[in-house]
Amino acid sequence: MGFPESCTFVGYVVHLPDSDEFLAGASEPESGAFLYKYAATPDLAKIYPDFRTALKIADGIRKHRTVVAYLFDHGTQWLVGFQGREPDWQIA
């Protein structure tokens, strides 16, 4: 992805590219009722340790376009990496 070698991979996050937000939490308080929380910055995003879990959650969000992104820690900055149609990376 072109990140500096000093970056540390943290995990996977769910990104909403149309609003440039991140999924901060997901729950099902009642059967069939889903509650999603969104955050403006990746440091508040829910971090998933594996891609499959993040993808399962992202696929469950029907009202927004979602992509699973890679989250890296670069000291005072978070780097978010994408594959596919999204930009290669962004600094947040």
Side-chain angles (χ1 to χ4, degrees):
M1 278 180 224
F3 292 143
E5 289 186 28
S6 59
C7 291
T8 303
F9 177 69
V10 177
Y12 299 92
V13 294
V14 177
H15 183 247
L16 286 75
D18 297 329
S19 60
D20 195 22
E21 294 176 305
F22 298 86
L23 181 67
S27 63
E28 187 177 3
E30 296 178 34
S31 180
F34 299 95
L35 178 62
Y36 297 105
K37 295 188 291 184
Y38 302 102
T41 59
D43 61 315
L44 299 174
K46 168 72 175 162
I47 300 169
Y48 297 93
D50 61 86
F51 181 83
R52 287 182 187 203
T53 303
L55 184 60
K56 181 179 176 182
I57 298 297
D59 285 345
I61 299 173
R62 303 281 183 215
K63 293 188 175 191
H64 302 284
R65 188 169 62 100
T66 60
V67 294
V68 175
Y70 306 87
L71 183 63
F72 292 86
D73 184 355
H74 190 240
T76 60
Q77 295 180 320
W78 294 98
L79 302 177
V80 181
F82 302 93
Q83 288 187 344
R85 295 183 184 181
E86 294 300 317
D88 287 339
W89 60 277
Q90 73 182 35
I91 298 174

